[in-house]
Amino acid sequence: MYSIKLVKKVFLIFLFIFLFWFAAAATDLIRVHSFEKPIFAHPTATADDGGSGTYKGFGWRIELEGNFMPQDEFPGVTQFEYYLGDDLIYAAIRD
């Protein structure tokens, strides 16, 4: 039927894709947890302040608010919600 080598190659390809996806999702979570903008998720609906809004990755979504204008006293992300699919995974507010 299928050769063992083909099955191993397909498995390794799927494993590599999953590991890359996991690393990208985890990197974005770590960045927003450090109150910085995500790297891999792209903005889909943002405000005119330069960064607040919705960021979407492949399977995850980040809703964030922040101070992104040059005159803001404490620049960066002030609060965020991290969703995996439609499930809220983590949320935080900067003090």
Side-chain angles (χ1 to χ4, degrees):
M1 195 170 235
Y2 297 109
S3 70
I4 297 298
K5 288 183 180 183
L6 178 63
V7 172
K8 285 182 181 179
K9 286 181 183 180
V10 170
F11 174 76
L12 289 175
I13 289 170
F14 280 112
L15 180 64
F16 176 76
I17 291 170
F18 173 77
L19 290 176
F20 179 76
W21 175 86
F22 181 81
T27 299
D28 278 351
L29 177 59
I30 290 168
R31 285 189 55 87
V32 296
H33 188 266
S34 300
F35 298 104
E36 300 174 0
K37 287 186 192 178
I39 295 175
F40 294 104
H42 63 280
T44 58
T46 58
D48 290 335
D49 68 355
S52 295
T54 302
Y55 290 75
K56 290 188 178 180
F58 190 70
W60 69 93
R61 181 178 87 240
I62 302 166
E63 303 282 343
L64 62 86
E65 294 180 20
N67 301 324
F68 300 105
M69 298 302 285
Q71 69 271 18
D72 288 335
E73 187 175 343
F74 298 108
V77 176
T78 55
Q79 68 181 33
F80 71 90
E81 295 176 344
Y82 186 92
Y83 294 88
L84 192 56
D86 289 331
D87 299 325
L88 177 64
I89 300 298
Y90 194 79
I93 299 174
R94 182 173 72 180
D95 294 331

